[in-house]
Structures are given as structure tokens and as C-alpha cells.
Amino acid sequence: MLEVKEVSKTFADFEAVKGISFQANRGEVLGFLGPNGAGKSTTMKVITGFLDPSGGEALICGKSITTERKEAQRFIGYAPENAPLYDEMYVREFLTFIARMREIESERIPDRLKEVLTMCSLNEVAFQKIETLSKGYKRRVSLAQALIHDPKVLILDEPTDGLDPNQKHDMRELIRKLAKEKCILISTHILEEVEEICDRCIIIGEGKKLFEGAPHDLKSKSNKGKIQDVFRAITLKTNVSGVSL
Amino acid sequence: MIRISPAVKHLFVKEFTSYFKTPLGHVFLVIFLFGIGYLTFEPGRGSFFYIREASLGPFFRHIPWMFLFLIPAVSMKLWAEERKTGTVELLLTMPVSVAEAVIAKFLASWAFIGVALLGTFPMVVTVIYLGSPDLGVAFLGYVASFLMAGTLLAVGGFFSALTKNQVVSFILTVVAALFLLMAGSPPILEFVSTVFPKYFVDLLESLSVLGHFDSIERGVFALSNLWFFSVMIVFWLYGSIVLLNENKAD
């Protein structure tokens, strides 16, 4: 469903992503891990078609994001980092706007709205202005706009960042529920999250893929079972006691 | 027939209605309508009562100077705000191209200025009540104002795409708009002719937005005027598209 082939991205003289490849299928949650500035967000921006890759390409349900951008984008739901939203709009109005932009037929929009508002527990704030919402609600609105057209591929850039523990829990529950029929790529630097919701994870550092495998593979590399030790050993390329790579 | 992409239509509607939901739109309308009314009737040479003529001349003469400060206030947020808040990422990952988004936003802001111009209808009613003005000329005056607004909005959109800072975008647009308005004025042309060859002076004169505006406003609607405004709008919109493709990631 999602196929990333040797994607690279260079800004002026800075190489942010250096040839990353991976695949993800329906029913799978792929975790995208890495320190800040590793190239996670840039890779996601290339996959969603916001940025053109400097090399390589990404296929979404067989459509190339570079040569068939609009077709490929129809399959993607994307919640960008920090949940940017049009603050002056009301939640319902905003989601209706996104639904129209996503080319959902007008008669289907009320049903879709009802569905995503319920799914993301937004019913009580549906008639509120986005700027008055708390961070947790804004994240959910951002997720709701990514789900409105029922995309096959969901790309979530740090969806739980800045949420309180209860909100994090709810968000993870929701992602797990969605995972059954979608292909989800989720970036995070919260390691417990990876263990909890991801089937597979990729660690990237300095624009390169450093590890790919199941979270328990990652964990088993540490004799104390500490995933953060393995993460440090991989991304910092140093010896960490108890970790054998 | 040209098929308008649905995304352009929906983005246009969203942008256009947003002017009436934020204080910006209301502040603009009040200041524009009050300001243009005051300038038209203010006591002094060239004012409406002084010239003792049922003409919209004093009204249209002040339009460019109102636009000089008010249009940049409308255009400054077109892209700067989207880029600053990150919503540009949301917008451009939907099935809409940069060019379509630029056009939709530009048309929405242009339509908003159109509404502001329509709001000046009491001026026309007053003149008709007081005498028998040449309505054809009045109509052309509105056409000229609308075309000039489009040009200045396209310029403003370009500067809004250039920076994430709305204040910087405002100032750059005012400076660029002032240059385009004044390009054909005698003091500037005289100064330029002391340094540059004649063909450059002619080129500068032909770039004068005010020159083309005056020509239509006087009732002489030449194809070259329409051509000038169309080329200017297309040129600056194209500039915005190129710029956004380059710097949307910053």
C-alpha cells in the first residue's frame, strides 16, 4: 500500500534525507523513530506530496506521488506535526471544508462528519471555534480531518506530542482501532508508544535508515529489555552497556 | 469551456467568507468606505463640492491612494499566515496544486475588494440625484478601480509568499505599490532620465499603474490598458507560484 523507494531530499546544501526505502501494508502500524532533526518529518512531507523528493519516489496504492500527485494524495490522510488548523473556523465548518476539498460528494458529507466526529470524540465541541479548543481537542480535530475521506493510508506526524497521559491513551486506542483496515505510518519519539501500538518500526538518524524490525526485536537487543538503551546505541552509534547490536 | 476545479471553488468560498468572519474584513470595509467618503467630500480644491459638477472624478481620484495602504493589509495574510501557522501543509497535501491555491486565494481577495467597491454605491446615487453624470464613464471608473485592485493584490500576494512575517509583507507591498503607482509621474521620470537611456524611461512610464488607471477612469478604455492589467496580474501570480514552490518547506 505504501512503498517508499530510495527517497532523498536536499535543501540547498543540506541533505535531510539520504535514500530511505521501506514498505507498509494494510493492517499495519509502522513506527517512525529517530532523534529530532533525523529527517522523519521531511520524509513524511515527501510521502504526502508536500515536498518534491530530490531523488527516489513514493508509491501510494500504486500511484506515484511525483508523477500522479493528485491521485496519490486522494489515498492519504495526513495529520501534520503540531496540528496546524484554521483557527478562525468552527470544528464542523472546518471538517466540511476539508471534506469538500477532498472531493466527497455533498450528500455523503453529513454522514462522514457524524462518523469522524464520533470516532474522534468531537461531538461536544463540533460547534466551537477551533482557536478556543484545548491542545488535546486540536489534535483530535487534526486527526479527524485526516480521516474524513476514509483514506487507505494514514500518515501521522507525532500525533500524541503534548497530550496528557489520558489523552495519549485515547489517541493510541483510536490508532489501534483504525489500524485494522488502514496502513498507518506514525512518527514519534516516545518509545513506549512504539511498543504499545506499532507492529514494526524504523529508526532513522541523520537522514538514513538505521534499523527496521519489530519492536520486540529492538527490545531483545538489550539484556535489560530497555528499548531506550537500544535506541541510544543505534542513533548515537556508541556502546551502551547491556546492548548488543 | 474552462472547467474550474472543485478544489478551487471550495477554497475560494472558504477564503472569501473568512474575510467576513475575522475583524480584518470589517475593519477594512469601515475604513475604506468612511475614508473614501471623507476624501471625496473633504473641503479643499478638487473636492466634490468645489468643482461644482455632478461627476465621480473626485471619488475615483482618491481610490488609488486608499488602495495603496488598504490593499496590502488584505493581501499580507494570504500566504504569510498559512506558512507561519503551518496550515500550508494541510492545504497543499490535499488534491490541489500550488497554482490552483494561488488563483483561488487571489480571486477570493479580489472578490472581497469588489464587495468593498460595491459598497460605495451611495456615491453614484448621490451624483445621479444631483445631476446627470455620464454613467458610462462612472462604470469605467469602477472597472479601472477593480483592475487596479487586482494588480495590487497580485503584487501583495507575491510579497506575502516571500515572507512568513505579515508586517514585512505589508511594508514591502506598500513600497512596491507606491513604486508602481508613481512610476509614470513627472518628477520620477525626470530623475530617471538623468541616469538611464530613453527606452528605459519609456518602459518605466508604461509600467505606471496610475497612468493606466487614469486613462480608463477618464473614459478611454483602450485594449492596451486591459492588456497591461492582465499581464501584471498574471506575472505576479506566476511569481507567487514559483516562490511558493521554492520556499513552502522553510
Side-chain angles (χ1 to χ4, degrees):
Chain A
M1 240 172 198
L2 174 64
E3 207 179 339
V4 177
K5 293 183 200 165
E6 287 295 317
V7 161
S8 61
K9 179 71 194 172
T10 309
F11 298 106
D13 50 1
F14 172 66
E15 233 184 319
V17 180
K18 304 167 185 164
I20 287 186
S21 303
F22 60 86
Q23 280 189 16
N25 293 311
R26 188 186 146 127
E28 194 172 27
V29 181
L30 180 62
F32 219 40
L33 289 166
N36 286 329
K40 299 186 297 277
S41 292
T42 307
T43 310
M44 287 186 151
K45 284 175 192 174
V46 169
I47 297 172
T48 53
F50 180 66
L51 296 179
D52 291 323
S54 310
E57 71 166 344
L59 298 176
I60 293 98
C61 300
K63 304 276 180 204
S64 159
I65 197 71
T66 40
T67 56
E68 301 157 288
R69 187 173 151 246
K70 281 191 185 181
E71 287 76 14
Q73 281 176 331
R74 284 181 231 277
F75 294 114
I76 306 177
Y78 175 44
E81 198 176 356
N82 300 324
L85 303 164
Y86 293 110
D87 284 343
E88 76 278 6
M89 296 179 96
Y90 293 85
V91 172
R92 221 186 139 81
E93 180 197 15
F94 170 73
L95 292 175
T96 310
F97 163 66
I98 301 284
R100 289 195 179 126
M101 290 294 283
R102 289 288 189 181
E103 297 167 8
I104 299 176
E105 301 93 47
S106 336
E107 56 271 26
R108 273 187 60 222
I109 292 180
D111 288 343
R112 283 305 303 157
L113 276 180
K114 212 166 138 190
E115 216 167 296
V116 293
L117 285 171
T118 313
M119 207 188 292
C120 301
S121 319
L122 286 167
N123 278 313
E124 57 199 276
V125 295
F127 294 99
Q128 262 189 48
K129 237 183 194 173
I130 292 175
E131 63 189 356
T132 66
L133 299 180
S134 68
K135 212 171 191 173
Y137 272 124
K138 282 187 182 171
R139 294 275 156 173
R140 279 189 251 169
V141 175
S142 179
L143 184 64
Q145 66 78 25
L147 288 170
I148 193 96
H149 54 302
D150 197 14
K152 292 194 161 89
V153 177
L154 205 52
I155 294 176
L156 311 174
D157 199 350
E158 298 189 4
T160 57
D161 190 44
L163 298 185
D164 70 35
N166 295 337
Q167 292 168 329
K168 271 185 188 154
H169 172 83
D170 292 347
M171 184 65 94
R172 286 173 198 165
E173 284 290 303
L174 182 59
I175 291 170
R176 221 172 326 196
K177 208 156 58 179
L178 289 167
K180 283 177 199 139
E181 51 208 70
K182 296 191 193 306
C183 162
I184 303 181
L185 178 63
I186 171 173
S187 85
T188 179
H189 37 226
I190 306 165
L191 298 167
E192 314 89 77
E193 200 160 273
V194 180
E195 276 189 274
E196 224 177 291
I197 55 174
C198 299
D199 304 297
R200 202 151 51 88
C201 66
I202 288 176
I203 296 181
I204 65 169
E206 291 170 1
K208 277 189 260 182
K209 184 163 84 175
L210 302 174
F211 172 86
E212 181 171 358
H216 61 82
D217 291 340
L218 203 59
K219 209 171 175 178
S220 64
K221 289 184 191 294
S222 157
N223 55 18
K224 294 177 203 150
K226 275 189 165 177
I227 205 163
Q228 62 265 43
D229 285 351
V230 187
F231 180 80
R232 269 178 48 228
I234 292 176
T235 53
L236 299 172
K237 297 185 180 101
T238 50
N239 286 323
V240 177
S241 74
V243 176
S244 53
L245 295 175
Chain B
M1 208 179 95
I2 306 165
R3 200 182 78 89
I4 301 171
S5 137
V8 172
K9 193 177 87 190
H10 298 310
L11 184 57
F12 171 86
V13 172
K14 180 231 154 208
E15 288 285 319
F16 181 70
T17 51
S18 84
Y19 285 110
F20 300 96
K21 281 184 207 147
T22 51
L24 172 76
H26 299 124
V27 169
F28 178 92
L29 287 175
V30 169
I31 293 183
F32 174 71
L33 295 175
F34 177 80
I36 197 70
Y38 176 78
L39 287 174
T40 307
F41 293 106
E42 55 96 39
R45 295 169 70 83
S47 91
F48 186 76
F49 293 122
Y50 187 87
I51 62 166
R52 307 182 65 80
E53 197 183 301
S55 133
L56 285 166
F59 166 73
F60 285 120
R61 244 196 316 284
H62 290 111
I63 289 262
W65 307 108
M66 289 295 290
F67 278 178
L68 175 62
F69 290 100
L70 288 176
I71 295 242
V74 171
S75 67
M76 67 181 188
K77 78 175 199 44
L78 282 177
W79 288 103
E81 197 180 21
E82 294 257 4
R83 287 181 56 224
K84 186 149 199 160
T85 57
T87 46
V88 66
E89 234 177 284
L90 210 60
L91 181 64
L92 296 179
T93 49
M94 288 191 275
V96 60
S97 65
V98 174
E100 287 172 331
V102 165
I103 290 168
K105 273 173 167 275
F106 164 74
L107 290 178
S109 63
W110 204 11
F112 172 69
I113 301 293
V115 170
L117 280 172
L118 285 180
T120 62
F121 75 94
M123 251 333 287
V124 185
V125 176
T126 311
V127 177
I128 292 173
Y129 178 75
L130 292 175
S132 46
D134 185 337
L135 288 179
V137 173
F139 176 73
L140 283 183
Y142 274 105
V143 171
S145 307
F146 190 57
L147 288 172
M148 183 173 61
T151 305
L152 298 184
L153 281 169
V155 173
F158 174 84
F159 287 109
S160 181
L162 186 71
T163 165
K164 279 186 193 175
N165 188 318
Q166 296 197 34
V167 178
V168 173
S169 149
F170 175 85
I171 293 170
L172 290 176
T173 311
V174 171
V175 172
L178 185 65
F179 175 79
L180 286 172
L181 284 177
M182 299 298 289
S185 73
I188 289 194
L189 289 181
E190 230 164 79
F191 171 73
V192 173
S193 64
T194 57
V195 190
F196 292 99
K198 175 131 184 1
Y199 68 86
F200 185 81
V201 180
D202 290 343
L203 177 78
L204 198 65
E205 193 176 5
S206 70
L207 278 180
S208 162
V209 170
L210 206 55
H212 290 272
F213 173 80
D214 283 343
S215 139
I216 307 180
E217 190 259 310
R218 279 197 305 268
V220 188
F221 190 72
L223 213 55
S224 67
N225 299 133
L226 184 65
W227 186 236
F228 168 78
F229 285 116
S230 317
V231 169
M232 283 294 267
I233 291 173
V234 170
F235 172 80
W236 289 98
L237 288 185
Y238 182 72
S240 312
I241 297 168
V242 172
L243 208 55
L244 277 170
N245 270 321
E246 279 301 312
N247 67 9
K248 63 185 175 187
D250 296 350

